[in-house]
Amino acid sequence: MIRRLIYADMCRWWAWWLLAAAVAVRGEDVTYDGRSLIIDGQRKLLFSGSIHYPRSTPDMWPSLIRKAKEGGLHVIQTYTFWNLHEPQPGQYDFSGSKDIVRFVKEIQAQGLYACLRIGPYIEAEWTYGGFPFWLHDVPGIVFRSDNEPFKLYMQNYTAKIVNMMKSEGLYASQGGPIILSQIENEYQNIEAAFGEKGPSYVRWAAEMAVGLETGVPWDMCKQDDAPDPVINACNGMKCGEINFAPNSPNKPAIWTENWTSFIQVYGTNATLRSAEDIAYHVALFIARKNGSYINYYMYHGGTNFGRTAASFIITGYYDQAPLDEYGLLREPKYGHLKELHAAIKMCSQILLSGTPNNFSLGQSQQAYVFRGDSGACAAFLINSDGKQSAVVQFQNSSYELPRKSISILPDCKTVVFNTAKVNTQSNTRSMQPALKFDSAGQWEEFKEQVVEFDDTTIRADTLLEHMNTTKDVSDYLWYTLSLQQDSSDPKSAISVKSLGHVLHIFVNGELVGSAHGAFRNSSFTLESTVSLNEGMNNISLLSATVGLPDSGPYLEHSTLGPHKVTIEGSEGSQDLSNNSWGYQVGLLGEKLQIYTTKGSNVVQWKEFSSAQPLVWYKTFFDEPEGNDPLALNLGSMGKGEVWVNGQSIGRYWVSFRTLAGIPSQTWYNVPRSFLKPTGNLLILFEEEHGNPCNITLDTVSITSVCGHVTDSNPPFQIPWKRYARRPKVQLNCPPNRNISKILFASFGRPFGDCSAYAVGSCHSSNSRAIVEEACIGKRKCSISQSYKRFGGDPCPGIPKSLLVDVQCG
């Protein structure tokens, strides 16, 4: 009997397994109409987020995708990176963080869809827009044009990616997660520059992509003339406001880049985009444009490891995204958008199938209503006035709309979400030193030699263009010249005009001047007074790029580096531009790979002496305990690059300050997957005069969370629950941390918000005691904003709020 039961259970298990396997491999038909993408016959309203696989590490991918899913996303969107995958023609690399198949399979394993933006031009603030530099040297090539050499290599790469996805069964038509692909990227921005070759290229690219027969739709973003059946998509911050529409009534309104922050370049501050503004424009796109696919660019930005960042782009990428550079939740952005997604989900079916209608509720107020045949109804009440709130009448009820906000009513009655009312907590990220490299005895140095004319093997009677000479194998190019002087001159003036990005001048081995350009203004002139000796003088120019340009027409014609050198002194004015110049690509330390364990053993390191330019620094360290992310504090350094166990964590440029005098980026991500328990090799190349003895390795964590609610901010509401719910502060520390201290608590009328606060004229004196009792020692706690909870009304007749800030320890 027992044996028969076991056998029956096994049969049922095998039947279930076979059914599950059949479902897993069964392809899903992906089509579209004028309302949405249609997957397996069902309309879908999809929220998507950009996570770029090479800007994080493979060990981070599962956590990032899981958090995206928990945040209410349905799709993970990524570019592909041609220069990573095909560093030389026909030589492909899909290893490590370049393993796109593994990344897409992880998306599938967590039950999400994928959107593959193949490009292969991507921009993405990625060096050379994703193009491998060898493409520049193909005879007769014109990038992104109806040009046969370019189309050949573009088609080869695109087919390579598509066929690889097909071979792994990763398209939805094969049972995989990929439901949408993109060809080209924002081409309309430059299309006119190519004349008739522009539109014909667009048509070719669309036909080529569709001809690869992926079984899923293709899109082109910012391409109003995207040929059928390719969908034209919107990019930007305000796709619900701008003049965007599908170019066919049979295509859905999709938004491939809703910028969650702004790119940051060296010399600028981070510019924030609020959670409220993002939510407003998402809701507006859905209501006004019948939008059915919204992608957040970026949902997790990550890190521009190595030399992958484009011109002047900092190493940390979109750190202000819902998931920050280290993969931590950025609150309230993450939580507010999560509630938005849940609110939209409540009425997604009526939004996709109902009849839309809109009408005015006031001078700057509108209602967008979707009604179904069965009586189902959903409404978006919009106040587009950015200065004043408004009270509107809708279906015989009054609704208060804060300024620049949208209220969502999934049943046309109950407000479950307002884009301007943030109920989720805010959090604070802190860096705490785990290791200090503050002893000179910890550091060793290797001095990079200044290259002179006689050291070089590349010669030319002109100033060579920087990028075409280095071929992007290094940021650095030495320009060297021997100059004969009949007599000494202590006050000669040298002038170098450069197209960018950075230049250091050495005369007879001594640094005499440095200068650099800036983002979108890379050209500069460096002038310096120098002392020339009688006889032969060695002039050495070290030109450096900070990433290659990533956008614009005719990218292959971009030029960088010195283009005119003159010197004026006792022997008159001399234009040295067409003298005999010697060149060396890269640095000696790069050639010897002294940033690796093997390479570091081939040079003679010396004890650290003092901060100098053009110096390599070396030390070793053990991995700090715990699981918190790690970052190097390089606030004491100037400009250069960092390697950990031979892997570059990116460029740093701390000396390029903002107008406020602070670095654009101080902390640089050190993934724990780069480390081993002990004996980790840390190498820095410092161009300027940075002092390594003030470097620290810091842990990165969320150290405090704060909640602020008012009488008018009820918590997320389920529409069929008609009873009023009291506003409440809900606090949630990260895993393995509990609330250890109450930093602030006030029930009444506290001044400010979670960024800056103080007790106001109305304050319940027992606020701190009540919160301490509810929260201390717990990871999570919830405090209702109620008179009963706080022992009475501290100021009758006045609207109240509750603000609580706690420390997570």
Side-chain angles (χ1 to χ4, degrees):
M1 179 66 179
I2 293 175
R3 197 173 286 176
R4 284 198 301 272
L5 288 173
I6 293 174
Y7 178 76
D9 286 342
M10 289 180 63
C11 288
R12 281 193 293 271
W13 185 90
W14 274 105
W16 175 89
W17 186 90
L18 289 170
L19 177 61
V23 171
V25 300
R26 179 175 59 85
E28 291 187 309
D29 186 35
V30 184
T31 59
Y32 63 81
D33 63 11
R35 208 63 180 266
S36 72
L37 293 177
I38 301 171
I39 303 175
D40 224 17
Q42 296 185 358
R43 298 185 186 279
K44 296 288 185 179
L45 200 163
L46 300 169
F47 291 106
S48 171
S50 288
I51 300 175
H52 295 161
Y53 53 97
R55 282 177 160 143
S56 54
T57 56
D59 68 302
M60 293 175 66
W61 295 344
S63 173
L64 294 173
I65 295 167
R66 174 180 56 79
K67 291 174 182 177
K69 183 177 182 179
E70 291 172 352
L73 299 193
H74 311 97
V75 186
I76 302 298
Q77 179 172 289
T78 185
Y79 283 120
T80 73
F81 298 80
W82 190 359
N83 60 350
L84 289 187
H85 295 311
E86 194 178 4
Q88 295 299 324
Q91 298 177 14
Y92 294 98
D93 185 358
F94 296 95
S95 62
S97 62
K98 299 181 282 290
D99 191 346
I100 185 173
V101 167
R102 177 179 171 185
F103 181 71
V104 175
K105 286 184 175 180
E106 182 61 39
I107 295 170
Q108 181 179 28
Q110 299 208 33
L112 297 181
Y113 297 121
C115 172
L116 201 60
R117 305 177 83 188
I118 295 176
Y121 170 77
I122 60 173
E123 188 173 356
E125 294 71 58
W126 190 267
T127 189
Y128 220 39
F131 287 151
F133 197 81
W134 56 259
L135 201 65
H136 167 279
D137 295 330
V138 173
I141 198 164
V142 180
F143 292 178
R144 307 177 71 197
S145 174
D146 192 356
N147 168 267
E148 293 305 320
F150 178 74
K151 292 192 298 183
L152 171 66
Y153 286 102
M154 175 176 168
Q155 182 167 358
N156 287 347
Y157 173 75
T158 304
K160 175 70 176 181
I161 297 297
V162 167
N163 290 335
M164 186 166 60
M165 296 299 114
K166 283 184 177 180
S167 69
E168 298 288 339
L170 293 176
Y171 283 102
S173 55
Q174 303 171 291
I178 303 172
I179 59 168
L180 185 65
S181 297
Q182 180 176 302
I183 194 69
E184 249 296 337
N185 189 57
E186 298 186 346
Y187 186 69
Q188 187 169 296
N189 291 344
I190 64 166
E191 184 174 352
F194 296 98
E196 63 182 16
K197 296 284 189 178
S200 60
Y201 167 67
V202 171
R203 292 190 295 271
W204 170 84
E207 184 178 348
M208 181 270 290
V210 173
L212 293 173
E213 297 182 346
T214 62
V216 303
W218 289 83
D219 77 79
M220 285 182 168
C221 64
K222 293 186 78 169
Q223 194 65 45
D224 291 345
D225 61 350
D228 291 344
V230 176
I231 305 167
N232 61 304
C234 188
N235 278 10
M237 292 194 302
K238 301 178 179 182
C239 284
E241 286 186 351
I242 64 173
N243 184 26
F244 163 78
N247 63 17
S248 164
N250 299 318
K251 295 179 183 179
I254 67 174
W255 189 355
T256 43
E257 289 189 19
N258 179 12
W259 304 330
T260 58
S261 183
F262 302 86
I263 60 169
Q264 189 179 359
V265 299
Y266 288 111
T268 65
N269 293 306
T271 304
L272 309 183
R273 189 181 182 199
S274 70
E276 298 94 318
D277 187 64
I278 299 171
Y280 174 85
H281 286 284
V282 170
L284 189 66
F285 182 67
I286 294 171
R288 185 176 289 174
K289 304 288 188 177
N290 285 331
S292 58
Y293 177 97
I294 298 98
N295 178 74
Y296 299 105
Y297 190 97
M298 301 289 293
Y299 200 75
H300 164 72
T303 305
N304 291 312
F305 294 113
R307 299 170 46 252
T308 58
S311 299
F312 293 99
I313 301 296
I314 68 171
T315 297
Y317 190 63
Y318 272 83
D319 185 39
Q320 299 295 326
L323 301 178
D324 72 9
E325 180 179 2
Y326 307 94
L328 303 176
L329 303 187
R330 175 75 69 179
E331 297 284 18
K333 193 170 288 186
Y334 177 89
H336 193 54
L337 295 179
K338 179 178 180 178
E339 290 192 351
L340 167 67
H341 304 152
I344 295 296
K345 184 178 180 180
M346 290 178 182
C347 52
S348 61
Q349 290 307 307
I350 189 64
L351 295 178
L352 293 170
S353 61
T355 301
N357 185 28
N358 68 87
F359 48 88
S360 174
L361 298 175
Q363 184 174 358
S364 300
Q365 295 77 40
Q366 306 86 35
Y368 284 79
V369 182
F370 298 78
R371 297 186 185 276
D373 294 337
S374 62
C377 178
F380 292 71
L381 306 185
I382 301 172
N383 180 14
S384 57
D385 190 327
K387 296 181 179 180
Q388 296 183 22
S389 61
V391 176
V392 299
Q393 295 294 315
F394 175 70
Q395 295 197 161
N396 301 318
S397 295
S398 295
Y399 296 89
E400 182 179 359
L401 301 176
R403 62 183 181 88
K404 200 72 173 181
S405 75
I406 300 176
S407 285
I408 300 174
L409 293 66
D411 58 356
C412 282
K413 297 177 182 178
T414 310
V415 175
V416 299
F417 182 85
N418 179 274
T419 59
K421 294 182 178 181
V422 177
N423 293 304
T424 55
Q425 68 182 16
S426 301
N427 62 17
T428 301
R429 186 181 73 187
S430 298
M431 276 69 168
Q432 300 295 327
L435 294 175
K436 295 183 178 181
F437 302 96
D438 54 357
S439 169
Q442 291 175 276
W443 291 98
E444 293 181 286
E445 65 181 33
F446 173 74
K447 178 74 173 170
E448 184 75 27
Q449 294 301 305
V450 175
V451 175
E452 298 180 350
F453 184 82
D454 290 342
D455 301 324
T456 62
T457 56
I458 303 172
R459 304 287 171 84
D461 293 333
T462 188
L463 292 168
L464 298 179
E465 194 277 322
H466 184 122
M467 292 187 294
N468 193 41
T469 307
T470 64
K471 307 299 183 186
D472 196 32
V473 300
S474 171
D475 284 354
Y476 300 101
L477 178 62
W478 285 100
Y479 294 69
T480 65
L481 174 75
S482 293
L483 181 66
Q484 180 70 35
Q485 280 286 111
D486 294 335
S487 61
S488 63
D489 185 352
K491 294 186 177 180
S492 291
I494 189 169
S495 174
V496 182
K497 292 185 176 181
S498 175
L499 296 171
H501 297 140
V502 179
L503 187 69
H504 308 287
I505 301 178
F506 297 83
V507 174
N508 297 321
E510 297 296 321
L511 179 65
V512 298
S514 298
H516 61 80
F519 182 64
R520 291 179 179 161
N521 187 23
S522 63
S523 298
F524 59 91
T525 300
L526 172 54
E527 297 177 335
S528 182
T529 300
V530 301
S531 179
L532 297 178
N533 301 326
E534 181 181 351
M536 193 63 71
N537 293 267
N538 292 298
I539 297 176
S540 304
L541 313 178
L542 181 59
S543 176
T545 55
V546 188
L548 302 189
D550 67 341
S551 60
Y554 302 105
L555 191 61
E556 68 277 12
H557 294 161
S558 301
T559 54
L560 292 174
H563 64 96
K564 186 171 185 179
V565 180
T566 59
I567 195 161
E568 189 167 345
S570 59
E571 298 184 9
S573 178
Q574 303 177 66
D575 186 343
L576 307 178
S577 305
N578 294 316
N579 283 32
S580 181
W581 288 86
Y583 298 88
Q584 177 181 295
V585 174
L587 307 171
L588 176 61
E590 290 179 305
K591 180 180 179 181
L592 299 176
Q593 297 185 343
I594 65 173
Y595 47 82
T596 66
T597 300
K598 181 179 179 181
S600 67
N601 293 324
V602 303
V603 299
Q604 187 66 44
W605 296 85
K606 297 180 180 180
E607 292 183 0
F608 171 74
S609 55
S610 61
Q612 307 170 63
L614 303 192
V615 176
W616 296 81
Y617 293 112
K618 179 179 80 169
T619 192
F620 291 91
F621 67 95
D622 295 340
E623 181 181 7
E625 295 181 354
N627 298 312
D628 286 334
L630 300 171
L632 279 172
N633 182 337
L634 301 180
S636 63
M637 303 305 289
K639 177 182 180 296
E641 189 172 352
V642 190
W643 292 262
V644 175
N645 292 329
Q647 300 190 72
S648 174
I649 65 170
R651 302 182 184 96
Y652 65 88
W653 199 352
V654 179
S655 63
F656 194 168
R657 304 283 173 130
T658 68
L659 293 177
I662 60 174
S664 296
Q665 184 174 352
T666 300
W667 283 272
Y668 292 79
N669 181 23
V670 180
R672 283 189 179 266
S673 60
F674 286 14
L675 304 182
K676 50 190 179 180
T678 60
N680 294 286
L681 174 65
L682 173 61
I683 299 285
L684 297 92
F685 174 67
E686 169 63 30
E687 277 183 46
E688 300 177 344
H689 291 84
N691 184 353
C693 291
N694 291 317
I695 293 174
T696 60
L697 181 63
D698 298 355
T699 56
V700 185
S701 62
I702 302 301
T703 53
S704 67
V705 294
C706 176
H708 183 204
V709 295
T710 68
D711 285 336
S712 61
N713 274 37
F716 190 76
Q717 179 84 16
I718 299 174
W720 52 86
K721 291 187 176 180
R722 299 282 181 251
Y723 57 85
R725 300 177 68 192
R726 295 296 306 170
K728 62 175 65 174
V729 166
Q730 300 181 80
L731 302 173
N732 187 355
C733 284
N736 303 317
R737 282 184 167 81
N738 293 328
I739 297 170
S740 57
K741 184 179 181 180
I742 308 303
L743 302 174
F744 181 84
S746 178
F747 171 61
R749 294 283 285 173
F751 289 120
D753 54 28
C754 281
S755 61
Y757 45 69
V759 171
S761 57
C762 171
H763 169 70
S764 177
S765 60
N766 62 354
S767 297
R768 180 178 293 271
I770 296 296
V771 173
E772 284 179 344
E773 181 181 0
C775 298
I776 290 292
K778 300 176 182 177
R779 184 187 164 205
K780 303 178 182 180
C781 69
S782 176
I783 312 104
S784 296
Q785 182 194 319
S786 67
Y787 310 145
K788 183 177 180 180
R789 184 71 183 266
F790 287 89
D793 189 342
C795 41
I798 298 176
K800 313 296 186 304
S801 66
L802 173 63
L803 197 157
V804 179
D805 192 10
V806 303
Q807 180 174 296
C808 299

